[in-house]
Amino acid sequence: MTHHGITPGDRPFERLAVVGAGNMGSGIAQKMATEGFSVTLVDLDDEKVARGLGIIEKTLNDGVARGIFGAADAAAILARVTGTSRFDDLGNVDLVVEAVFEDLAIKKSVFHRLDEVCRPDSILATNTSSYAVTELASATTRPERVVGLHYFYHPAKNRLVEVVSGQATDPAAYPRAWRLQEALGKTPIASSDSYGFIVNRFFLPWLTEAVRMLEEGVAGTATIDEAAKKAFGIGMGPFELMNVTGVPIALHAATTLGRAFGPMYEAPALLRAQVESGTPWEVSGTPDAGPFQTVGDRLATAACYVAAALVDERVGTIEDTDIGARVGLRWRRGPFELMNHYGVERARNLVAAFAARWDLPLPATLERQARAGQPFRFTVVRSEIDDGVATLTINRPDAMNALNEDVVAQLEDAFQGAAGNPAVKGIIIAGSGKAFLAGADIRFFVRHIEAGAVDPIARFTERGQALLRAFETCPKPVVARLHGLALGGGVELALACHTIVATPKASLAFPETGIGIYPGLGGTQRTPRRIGPGLAKWLILSGQTIGAEEALSIGLVDRVVAYEQLDAAIREIIAAGRAAVREPRPAPDSHRSIASFFDRHGVDELLGGQATLPVDPKLAKSVKRVGTKAPVALRLSAELIDRAMEVSIEQGLALELSHLREIFATKDAYEGLSSLGRKAPVFVGK
Ligand SMILES: NC(=O)c1ccc[n+]([C@@H]2O[C@H](COP(=O)([O-])OP(=O)(O)OC[C@H]3O[C@@H](n4cnc5c(N)ncnc54)[C@H](O)[C@@H]3O)[C@@H](O)[C@H]2O)c1
């Protein structure tokens, strides 16, 4: 099992295809088209193809009705999908996902056919839930280019995908498939080619444990569902979920897992009987809170046992297991976080009792942790060295890689290691999943403000500043790999790197003044040093989001390249050596009036309406936005940006730190931070 190692020089993905236009296939094709790819969608005959296209159209129309995208966008997405019943149309695709019926013979015949018609270098992927990728690959003459891409329902909405390496999968094909998932805005996790991969392996025993509790009379369906919703923070309990996805699917999956891993995984008799009855589970009545604790604990224990066992077997990592649970199943906590929540000793006792019931050994992963008496520690920064280049990837995809104490501590270690390693020529700072890095962990700020302690926030920021300063002063080239959204601390992290390379999908913004604070990780200092004080004020005071091309035009990023060329471009930059520190670049024609407007007008003029509103509509909009921000944060930001032009970077960073306690002690900081994601803040100016 490998994570995405970096191979330079990939050709871009242009044409993608999906075979099987059913529930999964149509959704996968829809997602590909939504992200801008041309997709060929194949099914057995024209009628089935039309049905698949109809599913996409309906889902898109629902999206339009709910205001997720415009009618024109929906039409453009649909226009990128071409339906066909001829496999011969797949001659020029870069990657195909097979999503036909879950039937081994049919799947093998599809792979045989794909192998005949597809270009020799195209990647063939399977969305199978229960067969081995290796087995399907054996139906082709190119098993090295066959991978598993296991999506979750609904594949245009659920971000999780398990990327599975078969026994013969080439170490170059795997990262290529992995990176396509990132380009599609998916959250990939790495699984070995083992039945049920990571998520279904523990999800099925979670479902069957629910059925067993019903069988044993521990509680009724409504009670079990309600207990599960509470314990896992989910919208549907196990019985309602089985009714929605189909009870026979649960039986089928449990049967496959039972065959592979033994009796604990097998379907309970009651599940079998329910399928035979041909009816869904009856879920009605008032839940009884009495057994909630027991039910929640039993469900959690089953999942925790399996999670620890699959990590023992190296099917996946603890991080990917938890990401799988949170992103794929929308659990509040993954199994390993659950074990930490219980306390590892208690978790061990619960899991040991469960294992004993089935005559299974206690998984070593949990045993070791409980013996050490330490909670599981998650690797939130992955460090990979490949061909003299170290890539440090922040790996909290479902939190958009937000900075917290763990991330900063692990980045410190990883960066020190890479900087001090004579075999490393350059360092890449990257984020996993859809975003590059969306700021800092706001809950951490809120928690400390509520506890009346601003000191930990100041210390955290100081530590972050020192880390970023280490990037900046590193004699080796340090490059930010901006493949997606960068907000606040993410932009600041990138600005501390010597070079910022972005993809067209990257976007940048400083939302701080809108949540009552100012950028404290060098944002008020490094932004004006790059693009001048006028444009720095524009971005920081208005919170305006800008795309990669615009950022390039004003000098906020250094290069924009296609996603597939990102890593090759970064390697070239590293090979050329560390970029020189640049002088602020004058604003380009397109932004001259914005720069001079923000240069000329102070915050109080902007807020007091003394500044005549500019004619340029874009500028007028930005100025209006300034009026919605927190006044103290605006004033401090403007002051710090002005000072940046007069002092050294060290002095400027120290100044930025010196106002932290002041800003975090304001009413507006608490209002802004605690309102985030809930309501529009109401600022009072103190
Ligand atoms: N439904 C889920 O929640 C889910 C989740 C993850 C993975 N999967 C897997 O995805 C795959 C598809 O599942 P689904 O739920 O979309 O099934 P589905 O029955 O809705 O769709 C399957 C489609 O494949 C087509 N098909 C069958 N044989 C074909 C062939 N030889 N060539 C071309 N098309 C063919 C069928 O006409 C049908 O339209 C299965 O392997 C399943 O295990 C399903």
Side-chain angles (χ1 to χ4, degrees):
M1 187 186 59
T2 48
H3 266 292
H4 59 134
I6 307 293
T7 22
D10 276 350
R11 58 185 278 175
F13 284 101
E14 276 153 14
R15 289 207 67 85
L16 304 174
V18 178
V19 180
N23 290 322
M24 292 301 289
S26 62
I28 296 166
Q30 179 192 326
K31 180 64 180 162
M32 290 169 166
T34 302
E35 299 299 324
F37 292 94
S38 301
V39 197
T40 308
L41 181 60
V42 188
D43 211 302
L44 289 169
D45 55 46
D46 291 347
E47 192 186 312
K48 294 199 172 71
V49 172
R51 206 197 46 168
L53 292 172
I55 299 177
I56 299 180
E57 195 172 359
K58 188 182 173 304
T59 317
L60 288 172
N61 287 342
D62 290 349
V64 173
R66 289 170 49 210
I68 296 169
F69 30 61
D73 297 327
I77 294 167
L78 194 60
R80 282 194 282 270
V81 186
T82 313
T84 178
S85 56
R86 289 189 311 266
F87 274 71
D88 290 338
D89 292 351
L90 300 178
N92 199 25
V93 299
D94 300 304
L95 179 141
V96 190
V97 178
E98 167 278 311
V100 304
F101 297 139
E102 193 71 2
D103 177 302
L104 188 59
I106 296 179
K107 281 191 187 287
K108 280 182 133 178
S109 78
V110 166
F111 269 90
H112 180 73
R113 188 80 185 100
L114 288 174
D115 190 38
E116 284 174 347
V117 297
C118 294
R119 261 191 354 243
D121 68 323
S122 56
I123 294 176
L124 311 183
T126 175
N127 185 45
T128 183
S129 296
S130 54
Y131 301 115
V133 174
T134 306
E135 164 119 44
L136 296 170
S138 73
T140 75
T141 61
R142 62 175 100 184
E144 72 283 358
R145 303 193 77 77
V146 178
V147 298
L149 289 175
H150 187 241
Y151 295 95
F152 289 73
Y153 191 78
H154 184 295
K157 296 174 189 167
N158 192 319
R159 283 194 205 282
L160 192 70
V161 56
E162 293 173 307
V163 186
V164 186
S165 181
Q167 275 164 25
T169 307
D170 187 298
Y174 185 88
R176 191 161 152 73
W178 178 283
R179 281 200 297 276
L180 174 66
Q181 305 316 304
E182 290 192 338
L184 289 171
K186 288 283 173 185
T187 301
I189 60 174
S191 172
S192 75
D193 191 13
S194 167
Y195 290 103
F197 307 126
I198 294 172
V199 174
N200 281 346
R201 173 81 178 266
F202 67 79
F203 177 59
L204 257 298
W206 182 86
L207 286 180
T208 48
E209 188 69 0
V211 177
R212 282 199 188 90
M213 284 189 272
L214 181 65
E215 221 169 39
E216 293 165 21
V218 174
T221 50
T223 297
I224 294 174
D225 271 9
E226 191 58 28
K229 286 197 243 178
K230 284 199 182 339
F232 293 84
I234 46 180
M236 274 190 265
F239 292 101
E240 197 184 344
L241 262 171
M242 280 187 270
N243 285 349
V244 169
T245 52
V247 188
I249 292 184
L251 174 61
H252 182 255
T255 309
T256 311
L257 288 177
R259 212 176 291 137
F261 301 113
M264 189 278 282
Y265 293 85
E266 274 165 20
L270 187 58
L271 175 57
R272 206 169 287 283
Q274 193 66 34
V275 172
E276 275 156 19
S277 79
T279 58
W281 297 102
E282 158 120 21
V283 188
S284 58
T286 316
D288 164 16
F292 277 4
Q293 182 74 39
T294 310
V295 171
D297 286 349
R298 278 190 63 171
L299 291 172
T301 303
C304 290
Y305 164 80
V306 179
L310 75 86
V311 168
D312 276 1
E313 293 167 32
R314 300 182 152 273
V315 175
T317 62
I318 64 170
E319 292 80 15
D320 279 356
T321 303
D322 275 13
I323 291 170
R326 290 196 307 262
V327 179
L329 306 177
R330 303 204 167 92
W331 288 6
R332 189 192 302 124
R333 294 188 180 89
F336 290 94
E337 287 165 308
L338 272 170
M339 289 189 255
N340 283 350
H341 190 65
Y342 278 115
V344 284
E345 283 98 353
R346 173 140 189 259
R348 190 239 342 252
N349 295 342
L350 288 169
V351 169
F354 175 87
R357 232 166 84 205
W358 293 99
D359 211 9
L360 291 164
L362 179 67
T365 298
L366 177 54
E367 162 92 84
R368 217 179 306 120
Q369 209 65 37
R371 207 175 313 128
Q374 295 289 328
F376 286 99
R377 278 202 62 214
F378 301 99
T379 302
V380 288
V381 176
R382 279 199 320 259
S383 177
E384 288 142 315
I385 300 178
D386 182 26
D387 198 19
V389 175
T391 303
L392 314 186
T393 308
I394 302 164
N395 188 33
R396 300 182 72 214
D398 51 324
M400 293 209 277
N401 301 320
L403 293 170
N404 62 15
E405 287 173 303
D406 279 352
V407 172
V408 170
Q410 292 186 27
L411 261 181
E412 281 169 356
D413 285 349
F415 189 79
Q416 234 173 42
N421 181 344
V424 170
K425 301 190 297 275
I427 301 166
I428 304 173
I429 309 294
S432 71
K434 193 178 165 75
F436 171 69
L437 198 158
D441 200 328
I442 301 293
R443 274 176 316 184
F444 168 83
F445 293 153
V446 173
R447 207 167 57 234
H448 285 297
I449 296 176
E450 281 173 352
V454 182
D455 259 14
I457 299 177
R459 278 200 304 275
F460 170 72
T461 311
E462 199 166 347
R463 209 170 153 184
Q465 274 206 3
L467 170 69
L468 268 52
R469 187 72 185 131
F471 291 4
E472 189 166 57
T473 54
C474 182
K476 298 174 183 181
V478 180
V479 181
R481 182 187 188 271
L482 224 74
H483 74 294
L485 179 68
L487 288 182
V491 183
E492 297 178 287
L493 195 89
L495 287 170
C497 299
H498 305 124
T499 313
I500 304 176
V501 187
T503 68
K505 275 197 185 148
S507 60
L508 305 89
F510 284 107
E512 282 90 345
T513 54
I515 48 173
I517 57 176
Y518 62 80
L521 293 175
T524 66
Q525 301 303 303
R526 293 192 180 96
T527 315
R529 278 181 169 74
R530 254 188 176 252
I531 59 174
L535 289 182
K537 283 182 192 167
W538 169 53
L539 290 177
I540 293 173
L541 304 186
S542 76
Q544 178 66 46
T545 301
I546 58 172
E549 290 297 343
E550 187 173 2
L552 180 69
S553 76
I554 61 173
L556 196 61
V557 308
D558 300 291
R559 278 192 67 185
V560 177
V561 296
Y563 190 84
E564 292 84 353
Q565 264 119 36
L566 185 57
D567 295 309
I570 293 175
R571 274 167 188 271
E572 271 168 29
I573 287 165
I574 287 175
R578 199 187 123 160
V581 178
R582 60 187 95 41
E583 290 297 308
R585 187 200 284 189
D589 287 350
S590 54
H591 290 71
R592 196 153 301 146
S593 63
I594 298 182
S596 78
F597 187 89
F598 277 90
D599 259 335
R600 280 197 319 273
H601 297 291
V603 166
D604 290 303
E605 275 179 88
L606 294 172
L607 290 180
Q610 287 120 298
T612 9
L613 263 190
V615 241
D616 174 358
K618 178 170 167 175
L619 179 51
K621 211 168 169 187
S622 290
V623 174
K624 274 204 182 130
R625 290 177 58 119
V626 175
T628 66
K629 310 292 173 181
V632 183
L634 289 172
R635 281 189 202 103
L636 282 172
S637 299
E639 192 180 312
L640 288 165
I641 294 170
D642 285 335
R643 293 300 304 277
M645 308 318 287
E646 303 157 2
V647 300
S648 70
I649 181 79
E650 290 91 345
Q651 288 168 321
L653 292 170
L655 274 174
E656 214 184 59
L657 277 182
S658 71
H659 291 286
L660 266 190
R661 287 181 174 76
E662 180 185 336
I663 192 74
F664 276 99
T666 60
K667 282 205 166 66
D668 283 353
Y670 182 65
E671 169 70 11
L673 291 162
S674 60
S675 304
L676 192 68
R678 288 193 304 120
K679 62 173 182 74
V682 181
F683 294 126
V684 294
K686 50 186 181 175

